[in-house]
Amino acid sequence: MGDIIIEEADSRAIAVTVASLFLLIASLAICIYGFSKGNNFYKFSGLMAAFFFFIGFLVALIQVLKERRLLLITMDGVEDCSSVGGYGFISYGEIKEFRLVHHPNTKTIAIILKNRKEFISKLAPPKKSLAKMNLYMKQPAIQIHAEQAKDMDPEDVLTLLQKRLRDYKKLYE
């Protein structure tokens, strides 16, 4: 079995791309209006705006097409690469279990650790404070925002994680 890559859907980049497309169309409409009425101000301002919005549209389109990894599930552990609070590599040896946690608007996958204090002490300061804040709010310390997975439900991601953890435990424990 190889590594499983779960991509992150970037809805903000899609919204920026659509907005820049509408602005490009509007600036082209101003330019066309300037040509039809013979008004040089509308011609020039429409062309300049179209040029800038075209560049913005291309940059936004590149951002949409760029592959962003949410999770990398390997035989040895899970690498949380998400843009929202990614924790990096977590070995299956440190993981006790995975659970689905329901929040008011989202679902996250909680990673229940065998030795929580030891793992949190090894984290970088921003991640450490995020984990401690989660604990203070009576939540699991490490959470994966699986609702951002591209073309997958959080339940599907949870099933994959649980299967790999079971396989790891059968081999090494």
Side-chain angles (χ1 to χ4, degrees), residues 39-111:
N39 189 331
N40 288 333
F41 175 74
Y42 286 137
K43 287 181 199 177
F44 180 73
S45 62
L47 282 174
M48 290 301 293
F51 174 74
F52 287 115
F53 289 134
F54 181 71
I55 291 173
F57 174 72
L58 287 179
V59 169
L61 191 61
I62 289 170
Q63 290 295 320
V64 166
L65 297 177
K66 189 186 327 180
E67 178 183 304
R68 295 174 183 240
R69 290 193 303 184
L70 177 69
L71 280 176
L72 176 62
I73 304 172
T74 66
M75 292 301 294
D76 300 322
V78 178
E79 187 173 348
D80 184 8
C81 311
S82 64
S83 59
V84 180
Y87 285 97
F89 183 76
I90 305 169
S91 171
Y92 288 130
E94 300 174 1
I95 299 172
K96 184 177 178 182
E97 66 176 317
F98 296 101
R99 279 193 210 141
L100 194 63
V101 178
H102 298 274
H103 296 287
N105 295 327
T106 61
K107 294 178 184 175
T108 60
I109 296 175
I111 299 177

Side-chain angles (χ1 to χ4, degrees), residues 90-158:
I90 305 169
S91 171
Y92 288 130
E94 300 174 1
I95 299 172
K96 184 177 178 182
E97 66 176 317
F98 296 101
R99 279 193 210 141
L100 194 63
V101 178
H102 298 274
H103 296 287
N105 295 327
T106 61
K107 294 178 184 175
T108 60
I109 296 175
I111 299 177
I112 310 301
L113 301 166
K114 291 179 181 175
N115 191 344
R116 183 174 59 199
K117 288 182 182 180
E118 180 183 324
F119 182 81
I120 291 174
S121 68
K122 293 187 285 185
L123 292 174
K127 304 296 180 192
K128 188 183 295 187
S129 63
L130 181 63
K132 287 182 179 179
M133 183 183 69
N134 285 341
L135 290 172
Y136 179 75
M137 296 175 60
K138 306 280 191 247
Q139 296 290 327
I142 310 297
Q143 297 181 25
I144 300 171
H145 297 275
E147 77 278 352
Q148 297 173 340
K150 188 178 191 180
D151 302 329
M152 291 184 83
D153 292 329
E155 290 85 2
D156 299 335
V157 177
L158 178 66

